[in-house]
């Protein structure tokens, strides 16, 4: 019976565990242990879900027995099962890392609160991905966002507060736009169920209300996924958040928002409407190209590695958006693939950085001079992640680069292929700056001695670093899932 | 051979994989155990490579593509043989060295080079191509001087560019043909040129050659052996495989052969001089590829084989001098033959080989390329190659040894090089003489059946005449100009006096133009970076933290823009 309720468990596990943690304020280690257990359980659930939809049909789960489209429906197919796996997988892997890192960065009496917020954010993101109801998407967006504001505000740097506040304003605008768009859709169709919407929209789609709805949803979600030039909240939020939060959010939050955009564009509005009637391809592609180029160059000039990686994240979002702006199966597949590969790669990088911060207490490149000798394993993990970010063969990043290239060439856009190859060189430069500092410079005189990071920090870091290599060689899982996800998204709701 | 063949039907262990996995143990071993292990590992590698029977091994799926990591035929085997041989020689030469990074990097580099020549498809080739770059750059950096760091950076930059072009070409090739099999690249359009340029950068074809003479002299003493042997020669292999008979390459090759010689005039660093001669020698091979006839391709392959051995020998000799004296400038060396007699002798064997003296290995391979030009009635190519031949002898056979080992006493009193260096040089020297005396051994495994005899009377006369008059010219001039001979050799007994002068004039002007271009580009790059920093740097308009209001303004603009687009 339990497997029948897996979709509900996916969200309810973290959602209900979160308030429980508030009773554990005095026992932070226990709070951590409980969070870890919940995260691994949700990971297991999402793995089971992916397995179930991989072979069989999509799962439709009616909450409380209210049949869709009247009740709230959870809908799982390969496309969002992959997203669920990314979110729950990253949170599960980050938890062993969190213990030491959080203990150092968060005051002891707030650790339980921290994990409460973390689980809520987790539940929100999982909810966005799994639900088949438009209004539910808005609700879960707000749950995850409000929890994220709290998480970011707990950063040690006082600027974290301002960063969180800015994120709050921008995030609220984003979700409000989304709500306005959903309201328009409801007004015209009288339904909130995504599959039902997809069915009823063609009849009314030539109205200006639907076009306005499209615009509000597109801009609102683009804000959440940090599409250039709506990314301005992201660098500060990622830079000043606690290490563990940055790892988690960078790998999951923008990815889930991208998934929502894909769902609306491809499944709800339909590819013909989004890219045929409305010239979405022409809107997204230039923004994606600018979004790759400018943040990449900005990243080169950053003195703070965390900020540099944050800008790199904006650029990577650009690659994903570029992939799906081709509106082809291959392009969409490349986008889904990069969703997965970038989550793994960037999480590995931010985690390695977190381990460095744990030892030297700073994220500045200058402070990292010469640490490779004392922290060889941490830096090696950083290099592996960096190679994957650049897209060196036999890493996950190369696989994405290859498919993006093919998609660009398939669309006959060879200048974009050249552009892709050229911008991957920019990543070489900014990753190199860190490698150069850590491997080739001497420790500054009088700097405190540094030891290799704790195994509890190293193990999850290396798990992800190795994953970014394994998924570059053994590509069956990500490519299979991404291909099926692309087919499903293009096919719309059955 | 049958054993490996039988093994192939089951699982096939790629020799590169074997070597790469083997290197991972090196950092955990110390002292004599490590030395023994490295030697053993390279010998096992040699044995595995030399016992592979031709055939197609291993196939796997990657990104929905059929990869063929083991396409073994006579052409790939020639290169694999000599790569594995040089791996053993280089390992022996570096036995004394205590630097795990270099050991691991050198062996992975060698493994990647063999991976490239066994690659039956373009994606596998690309993977090993990039691995070669990543491994080899450490052989430069581990010299640990600021110059070597900068040179390594430039090396990396150029090869990244070559990798990017190659990848772009491969992706385009795949979308055009639907295949990634690595055979002759017979399509037209950008894919052809992208792949060709990617290959040509690694082959150091001018004007894409500057990385070589820049980086190799800055490499570590032992790393230079591997560098001199592997990168350019894998490029020659892929050119033979992918672009035989491309007319452009004939001229590029001939220009290259001369270019290296002309630029060697300017070199004062002994390894820079040798590095320029790599460019010159690879020019013969590239020209052979361009001619594309059976004899020309045989010539290219065999010249690559012999070249790797004698060039490694020369680099080992120069390396031994640098290792023992710490000096590398012609002007600082001199009179060393009394203190390093064996090094001197072995070096001279390499020098005779590269100069194509009869009974040395260069003679049996270089003349094949020159002959190929002759039978094709390519008079100018033949002339240019012959001229480069004279210049080669002048520099590596006369100038370098004269100023290093003979000549004025520099006051240096070094010891003879350590035994392992001499042994490695001895092995290479043995092969140089062996192939020169018994060329049938080399001809036996060339890709096409060899119907060529190097030791005909006219070859012998022509070659000896060329060499002896070059030598005569050198010593005559030496007497007249004293200690600092200008290398304006009297070659008017060669067809025309003007030709070399023109070449040199072009070379000098080219050099000046190149420097000018460099300065210009350096300036414009500096301006460009300043401009970038102004807009993208910290605190600039694109990177600063924006007031929330401005961010919201952007949102409004984007929304209004979208609405506008949708309604219109």
């Amino acid at each position: 019976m339990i497997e029948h309720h897996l979709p509900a468990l996916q969200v309810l596990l973290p959602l209900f565990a979160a308030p429980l943690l508030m009773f554990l304020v005095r026992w932070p280690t226990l709070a951590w242990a409980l969070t870890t257990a919940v995260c691994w359980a949700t990971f297991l659930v999402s793995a089971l879900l992916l397995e179930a939809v991989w072979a069989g049909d999509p799962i439709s789960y009616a909450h409380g027995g209210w049949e869709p489209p009247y009740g709230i429906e959870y809908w799982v197919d390969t496309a969002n099962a992959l997203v669920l796996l990314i979110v729950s997988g990253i949170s599960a892997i980050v938890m062993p890392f969190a213990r030491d890192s959080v203990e150092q960065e968060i005051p002891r009496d707030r650790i339980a609160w921290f994990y409460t917020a973390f689980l809520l954010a987790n539940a929100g993101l999982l909810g966005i991905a799994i639900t088949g109801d438009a209004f539910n998407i808005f609700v879960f967006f707000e749950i995850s966002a409000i929890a994220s504001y709290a998480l970011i505000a707990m950063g040690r740097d006082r600027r974290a507060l301002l960063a969180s506040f800015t994120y709050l304003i921008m995030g609220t605008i984003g979700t409000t736009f989304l709500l306005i768009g959903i309201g328009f859709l409801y007004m015209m169709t009288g339904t909130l169920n995504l599959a039902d919407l997809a069915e009823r929209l063609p009849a009314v789609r030539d109205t200006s209300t639907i076009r306005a709805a499209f615009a509000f949803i597109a801009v609102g979600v683009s804000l959440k996924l940090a599409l250039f030039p709506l990314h301005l909240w992201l660098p500060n939020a990622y830079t000043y958040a606690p290490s563990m939060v940055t790892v988690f959010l960078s790998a999951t939050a923008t990815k889930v928002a991208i998934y929502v955009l894909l769902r609306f564009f491809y499944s709800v509005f339909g590819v013909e409407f989004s890219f045929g009637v409305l010239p979405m391809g022409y809107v997204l592609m230039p923004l994606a190209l600018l979004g790759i180029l400018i943040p990449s160059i900005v990243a080169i000039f950053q003195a703070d590695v965390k900020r540099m990686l944050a800008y790199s994240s904006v650029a990577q979002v650009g690659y994903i958006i570029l992939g799906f702006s081709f509106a082809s199966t291959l392009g969409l597949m490349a986008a889904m693939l990069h969703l997965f590969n970038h989550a793994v790669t960037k999480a590995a990088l931010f985690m390695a950085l977190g381990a460095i911060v744990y030892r030297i207490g700073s994220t500045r490149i200058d402070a990292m001079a010469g640490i490779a000798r004392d922290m060889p394993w941490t830096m090696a993990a950083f290099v592996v992640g960096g190679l994957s970010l650049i897209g060196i063969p036999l890493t996950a990043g190369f696989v994405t680069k290859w498919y993006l290239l093919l998609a660009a060439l398939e669309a006959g856009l060879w200048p974009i292929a050249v552009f892709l190859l050229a911008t991957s060189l920019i990543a070489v430069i900014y990753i190199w700056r860190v490698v150069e500092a850590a491997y080739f410079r001497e420790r500054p005189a009088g700097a405190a001695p540094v030891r290799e990071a704790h195994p509890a920090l190293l193990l999850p870091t290396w798990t992800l670093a190795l994953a970014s290599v394994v998924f570059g060689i053994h590509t069956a899982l990500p490519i299979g899932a991404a291909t099926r996800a692309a087919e499903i998204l293009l096919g719309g709701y059955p | 051979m049958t054993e490996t063949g039988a093994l192939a039907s089951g699982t096939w262990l790629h020799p590169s994989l074997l070597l790469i996995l083997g290197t991972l143990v090196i950092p955990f071993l110390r002292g004599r155990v490590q030395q023994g292990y490295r030697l053993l590992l390279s010998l096992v590698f040699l044995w595995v490579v030399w016992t592979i029977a031709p055939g197609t091994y291993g196939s796997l799926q990657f990104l929905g593509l059929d990869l063929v990591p083991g396409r073994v035929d006579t052409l790939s085997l020639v290169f694999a043989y000599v790569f594995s041989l040089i791996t053993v020689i280089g390992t022996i030469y570096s036995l004394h060295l205590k630097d795990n990074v270099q050991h691991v990097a050198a062996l992975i580099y060698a493994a990647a080079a063999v991976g490239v020549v066994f690659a039956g498809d373009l994606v596998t080739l690309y993977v090993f191509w990039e691995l070669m770059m990543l491994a080899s750059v450490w052989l430069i950096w581990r010299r640990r001087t600021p110059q070597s760091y900068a040179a390594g950076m430039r090396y990396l930059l150029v090869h990244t560019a070559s990798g990017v072009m190659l990848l772009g070409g491969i992706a385009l090739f795949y979308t055009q043909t639907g295949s990634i099999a690595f055979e002759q690249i017979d399509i037209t359009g950008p894919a052809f040129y992208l792949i060709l340029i990617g290959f040509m950068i690694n082959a150091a074809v001018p004007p894409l050659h500057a990385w070589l003479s820049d980086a190799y002299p800055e490499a570590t003493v032992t790393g230079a052996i591997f560098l001199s042997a592997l990168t350019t020669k894998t490029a020659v292999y892929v050119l033979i495989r992918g672009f035989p008979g491309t007319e452009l390459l004939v001229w590029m090759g001939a220009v290259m052969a001369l270019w290296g010689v002309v630029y060697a005039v300017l070199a004062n660093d002994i390894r820079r001089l040798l590095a320029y001669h790599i460019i010159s020698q690879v020019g013969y091979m590239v020209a052979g590829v361009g001619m594309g006839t059976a004899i020309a391709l045989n010539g290219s392959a065999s010249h690559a084989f012999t070249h790797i051995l004698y060039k490694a020998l020369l680099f080992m000799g120069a390396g031994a001098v640098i290792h023992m004296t710490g000096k590398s400038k012609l002007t600082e060396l001199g009179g060393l033959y009394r203190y390093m007699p064996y090094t001197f002798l072995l070096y001279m064997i390499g020098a005779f080989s590269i100069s194509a003296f009869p009974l040395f290995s260069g003679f049996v391979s270089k003349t094949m390329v020159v002959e190929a030009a002759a039978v094709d009635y390519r008079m100018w190519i033949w002339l240019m190659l012959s001229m480069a031949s004279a210049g080669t002898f002048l520099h590596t056979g006369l100038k370098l040894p004269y100023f290093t080992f003979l000549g004025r006493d520099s006051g240096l009193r070094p010891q003879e090089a350590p035994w392992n260096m001499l042994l490695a040089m001895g092995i290479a020297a043995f092969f140089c003489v062996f192939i020169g005396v018994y060329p049938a051994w080399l001809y036996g495994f060339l890709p096409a059946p060899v119907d060529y005899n190097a030791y005909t009377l006219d070859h012998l006369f022509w070659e000896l005449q060329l060499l002896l008059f070059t030598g005569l010219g050198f010593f005559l001039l030496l007497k007249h100009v004293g200690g600092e001979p200008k290398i304006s050799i009297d070659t008017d007994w060669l067809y025309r006096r003007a030709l070399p002068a023109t070449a040199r004039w072009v070379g000098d002007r080219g050099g000046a133009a190149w420097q000018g271009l460099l300065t210009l580009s350096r300036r414009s790059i500096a301006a460009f970076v300043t401009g970038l920093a102004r807009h993208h740097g910290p605190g600039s308009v694109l990177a600063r933290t924006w007031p929330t209001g401005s961010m919201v303004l952007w949102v409004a603009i984007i929304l209004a823009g979208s609405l506008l687009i949708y309604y219109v």
Side-chain angles (χ1 to χ4, degrees):
Chain A
M1 256 336 269
I2 186 108
E3 60 262 33
H4 179 66
H5 290 291
L6 282 179
L9 277 178
Q10 180 80 89
V11 180
L12 296 185
L13 265 177
L15 196 63
F16 285 160
L20 287 183
L21 288 176
M22 292 194 290
F23 297 107
L24 300 175
V25 172
R26 288 216 229 145
W27 301 281
T29 314
L30 209 57
W32 170 80
L34 183 64
T35 314
T36 310
V38 170
C39 285
W40 281 91
T42 49
F43 182 41
L44 183 71
V45 170
S46 63
L48 288 174
L49 279 175
L50 180 64
E51 198 206 345
V53 295
W54 186 284
D57 293 326
I59 299 171
S60 165
Y61 179 86
H63 259 291
W66 293 83
E67 287 303 314
Y70 309 106
I72 290 171
E73 180 195 17
Y74 278 7
W75 174 270
V76 188
D77 55 28
T78 319
N80 58 359
L82 182 66
V83 178
L84 292 173
L85 190 77
I86 294 173
V87 175
S88 60
I90 293 292
S91 65
I93 293 173
V94 83
M95 279 315 293
F97 175 87
R99 189 179 159 180
D100 289 341
S101 176
V102 168
E103 254 175 35
Q104 196 201 26
E105 295 183 22
I106 308 290
R108 200 179 141 76
D109 56 335
R110 290 200 202 143
I111 288 181
W113 302 109
F114 177 86
Y115 285 124
T116 308
F118 171 69
L119 277 186
L120 280 177
N122 205 346
L125 293 173
L126 291 168
I128 299 168
I130 204 171
T131 187
D133 184 282
F135 188 72
N136 227 233
I137 290 185
F138 163 73
V139 172
F140 279 123
F141 251 127
E142 282 297 0
I143 292 178
S144 74
I146 292 170
S148 311
Y149 308 146
L151 287 174
I152 292 168
M154 284 195 232
R156 275 191 300 189
D157 197 304
R158 285 177 62 195
R159 283 170 288 187
L161 265 181
L162 183 64
S164 171
F165 177 73
T166 318
Y167 184 25
L168 185 147
I169 302 282
M170 301 312 285
T172 308
I173 293 176
T175 43
T176 310
F177 275 25
L178 178 67
L179 185 62
I180 294 172
I182 293 171
F184 283 159
L185 290 183
Y186 184 63
M187 196 167 92
M188 294 304 286
T189 60
T191 183
L192 287 169
N193 184 285
L194 292 178
D196 206 29
L197 268 174
E199 210 168 287
R200 298 194 192 189
L201 269 176
V204 292
R205 73 174 196 196
D206 288 331
T207 57
S208 46
T209 318
I210 293 300
R211 290 180 182 217
F214 189 90
F216 273 105
I217 291 174
V219 174
V221 181
S222 297
L223 233 171
K224 297 292 288 185
L225 63 81
L227 176 67
F228 183 87
L230 306 177
H231 68 284
L232 297 160
W233 56 270
L234 186 142
N236 277 342
Y238 281 14
T239 309
Y240 301 122
S243 302
M244 180 264 195
V245 175
T246 311
V247 175
F248 178 68
L249 288 184
S250 72
T252 58
T254 48
K255 309 293 175 294
V256 169
I258 291 171
Y259 159 75
V260 171
L261 200 63
L262 287 173
R263 195 52 113 179
F264 269 106
F265 277 16
Y266 282 97
S267 300
V268 177
F269 287 102
V271 64
E272 197 228 18
F273 180 71
S274 309
F275 293 94
V277 180
L278 300 181
M280 216 43 215
Y282 295 107
V283 178
L284 287 179
M285 203 178 286
L287 290 184
L289 294 178
L290 284 176
I292 293 170
L293 185 65
I294 294 176
S296 297
I297 299 176
V298 171
I300 295 177
F301 291 100
Q302 294 305 317
D304 184 308
V305 182
K306 216 169 166 188
R307 203 176 175 79
M308 179 197 94
L309 290 178
Y311 273 109
S312 148
S313 278
V314 179
Q316 301 297 319
V317 166
Y319 285 109
I320 300 173
I321 301 292
L322 181 68
F324 93 78
S325 72
F326 294 134
S328 61
T329 317
L330 197 57
L332 189 54
M333 181 252 176
M336 288 304 286
L337 194 62
H338 201 44
L339 211 67
F340 180 85
N341 287 342
H342 178 245
V344 172
T345 304
K346 200 37 91 48
L349 281 169
F350 270 122
M351 238 189 243
L353 186 63
I356 293 167
V357 173
Y358 186 76
R359 284 295 184 221
I360 66 173
S362 167
T363 53
R364 295 188 62 79
I365 288 191
D366 299 337
M368 290 170 65
I371 57 163
R373 213 157 296 138
D374 303 313
M375 305 181 74
W377 289 97
T378 312
M379 272 317 292
F382 189 92
V383 170
V384 171
L387 290 178
S388 177
L389 194 70
I390 295 162
I392 296 284
L394 303 185
T395 61
F398 174 71
V399 179
T400 332
K401 193 160 83 174
W402 175 253
Y403 278 107
L404 270 177
L405 265 181
L406 289 187
L409 292 172
E410 187 199 52
L413 296 166
W414 66 267
I416 291 192
V418 174
F419 175 86
L420 280 173
L421 292 170
T423 47
S424 67
L425 293 186
I426 305 183
V428 177
I429 302 179
Y430 58 73
I431 290 297
W432 181 254
R433 290 184 60 227
V434 180
V435 174
E436 199 252 287
Y439 281 88
F440 292 93
R441 274 193 243 156
E442 294 297 323
R443 282 297 282 159
V450 177
R451 277 183 304 137
E452 179 56 277
H454 202 270
L457 298 177
L458 273 183
L459 203 66
T461 310
W462 267 99
T463 308
L464 284 176
L466 284 181
S468 65
V469 174
V470 167
F471 289 127
I473 298 168
H474 186 75
T475 52
L477 170 74
I479 288 186
T483 312
R484 294 203 37 169
E487 284 162 2
I488 283 173
L489 285 172
L490 272 174
Y493 282 105
Chain B
M1 280 211 176
T2 46
E3 295 152 14
T4 345
L7 200 73
S9 57
T11 50
W12 182 62
L13 183 60
H14 196 299
S16 303
L17 194 64
L18 172 88
L19 188 57
I20 290 173
L21 292 178
T23 56
L24 299 182
V25 186
I26 290 178
F28 299 100
L29 302 176
R30 298 260 177 283
R32 295 228 172 266
V33 182
Q34 194 201 46
Q35 289 181 345
Y37 176 77
R38 277 164 48 213
L39 188 58
L40 183 73
L41 187 65
S42 63
L43 285 171
V44 168
F45 181 60
L46 179 80
W47 181 78
V48 170
V49 169
W50 281 74
T51 52
I52 293 178
T56 305
Y57 302 94
S59 73
L60 56 135
Q61 282 276 321
F62 178 69
L63 309 183
L65 307 166
D66 293 308
L67 300 194
V68 186
R71 184 251 315 264
V72 181
D73 59 12
T74 44
L75 177 59
S76 45
L77 274 180
V78 178
F79 284 86
Y81 286 164
V82 68
F83 287 169
S84 59
L85 187 59
I86 207 67
T87 308
V88 174
I89 293 176
T91 305
I92 295 175
Y93 188 75
S94 61
L95 266 188
H96 64 278
L97 187 73
K98 292 188 183 60
D99 182 356
N100 287 336
V101 176
Q102 267 194 70
H103 300 325
V104 173
L107 291 180
I108 289 183
Y109 179 33
V114 169
V116 167
V117 299
F118 281 159
D121 66 275
L122 290 164
V123 173
T124 309
L125 182 136
Y126 175 72
V127 168
F128 282 116
W129 194 265
E130 294 284 36
L131 186 61
M132 259 170 66
M133 165 186 91
L134 288 177
S136 58
V137 71
W138 292 98
L139 299 178
I140 303 168
W141 278 336
R142 292 305 281 187
R143 191 129 185 251
R144 291 194 257 189
T145 59
Q147 293 90 328
S148 76
Y149 175 73
M153 268 327 275
R154 292 191 291 268
Y155 175 86
L156 205 59
L157 210 65
V158 171
H159 286 276
T160 314
S162 131
V164 163
M165 294 211 192
L166 188 58
L167 180 63
I170 292 170
L172 208 53
F173 181 79
Y174 175 61
T175 43
Q176 273 181 24
T177 64
S179 151
I180 52 158
F182 180 37
E183 300 299 337
Q184 182 164 3
I185 310 286
D186 51 1
I187 51 167
T188 49
F192 179 88
Y193 289 101
L194 279 173
I195 298 179
L196 180 62
I197 292 175
F199 287 170
M200 276 177 16
I201 290 179
N202 268 30
V205 177
L208 311 170
H209 68 289
W211 60 269
L212 190 150
S213 48
D214 180 22
Y216 286 11
E218 302 299 341
T220 62
V221 166
T222 51
I225 316 305
F226 290 93
L227 286 168
S228 74
L230 299 176
T231 297
T232 48
K233 259 57 76 184
T234 48
V236 168
Y237 163 80
V238 292
L239 285 173
I240 295 182
R241 177 77 73 185
F243 297 93
T246 306
E247 187 63 24
L248 172 73
L249 290 179
V250 183
W251 290 96
M252 295 300 255
V255 168
M256 211 174 147
L258 274 177
W259 191 293
V261 171
V262 169
Y263 265 81
V265 176
L266 307 171
N268 190 20
D269 184 297
I270 49 178
R271 290 196 301 173
R272 178 153 289 131
L273 191 151
L274 292 175
Y276 274 118
H277 279 283
I278 295 182
I279 298 177
S280 166
Q281 294 297 304
V282 172
Y284 288 89
M285 302 169 210
V286 172
V289 175
M291 289 185 261
T293 54
I295 178 175
L297 293 181
N298 264 344
S300 291
S302 60
H303 199 46
F305 194 102
T306 56
H307 170 79
I308 287 179
L309 290 165
Y310 62 65
K311 186 53 85 175
L313 178 52
L314 294 173
F315 262 96
M316 286 193 278
V321 169
I322 295 172
H323 182 66
M324 300 315 295
T325 64
K327 303 243 186 297
S328 65
K329 300 277 189 313
L330 283 178
T331 42
E332 296 168 354
L333 294 163
L336 294 183
Y337 78 97
R338 253 165 289 166
Y339 311 100
M340 304 178 75
Y342 295 114
T343 308
F344 174 54
L345 265 178
L346 292 166
Y347 174 90
M348 283 318 288
I349 292 178
F352 286 137
S353 295
I354 194 175
S355 313
F357 259 87
L359 298 182
F360 292 93
S361 63
F363 179 72
V364 304
S365 58
K366 185 195 279 183
T367 51
M368 208 191 287
V369 180
V370 181
E371 175 82 3
V375 295
D376 260 11
Y377 302 107
R378 294 175 186 270
M379 200 259 279
W380 288 104
I381 302 294
W382 180 83
L383 203 60
M384 285 162 87
L385 294 181
S386 298
M387 246 164 32
S389 203
T392 306
F393 178 51
L394 182 69
H395 294 140
T396 41
L398 295 171
K399 179 177 143 187
L400 198 156
Y402 184 83
F403 286 103
T404 307
F405 294 104
L406 309 168
R408 148 189 82 81
D409 191 343
S410 58
L412 295 168
R413 298 287 177 267
Q415 302 266 305
E416 181 58 274
W419 66 271
N420 62 311
M421 287 189 165
L422 291 178
L423 176 63
M425 292 169 73
I427 296 171
F430 164 76
F431 278 103
C432 286
V433 177
F434 175 67
I435 293 172
V437 175
Y438 182 61
W441 180 77
L442 172 62
Y443 294 169
F445 47 72
L446 287 183
V450 177
D451 176 27
Y452 172 74
N453 182 11
Y455 290 101
T456 57
L457 266 185
D458 52 335
H459 283 155
L460 285 171
F461 269 125
W462 167 248
E463 196 63 36
L464 283 175
Q465 198 184 3
L466 193 74
L467 293 171
L468 291 179
F469 277 94
T470 311
L472 190 65
F474 176 76
F475 285 107
L476 282 179
L477 273 160
L478 193 65
K479 211 169 170 186
H480 286 298
V481 221
E484 209 184 25
K486 280 266 177 262
I487 315 300
S488 50
I489 166 212
D490 259 330
T491 39
D492 49 355
W493 59 278
L494 256 174
Y495 285 70
R496 248 160 269 198
R497 189 199 174 98
L499 260 177
T502 320
R504 203 165 308 121
W505 186 85
V506 171
D508 288 351
R509 293 302 175 279
W514 176 246
Q515 288 303 327
L517 192 70
L518 272 187
T519 322
L520 194 71
S521 60
R522 203 168 289 152
R523 243 179 249 153
S524 49
I525 286 172
F528 176 67
V529 171
T530 323
L532 273 187
R534 196 174 303 135
H535 297 113
H536 296 76
S540 70
V541 65
L542 286 165
R544 79 165 76 109
T545 303
W546 283 39
T548 318
S550 324
M551 293 191 200
V552 178
L553 187 68
W554 267 111
V555 179
I557 291 173
I558 296 281
L559 181 70
S562 321
L563 283 173
L564 202 69
I565 291 173
Y566 300 156
Y567 283 133
V568 172

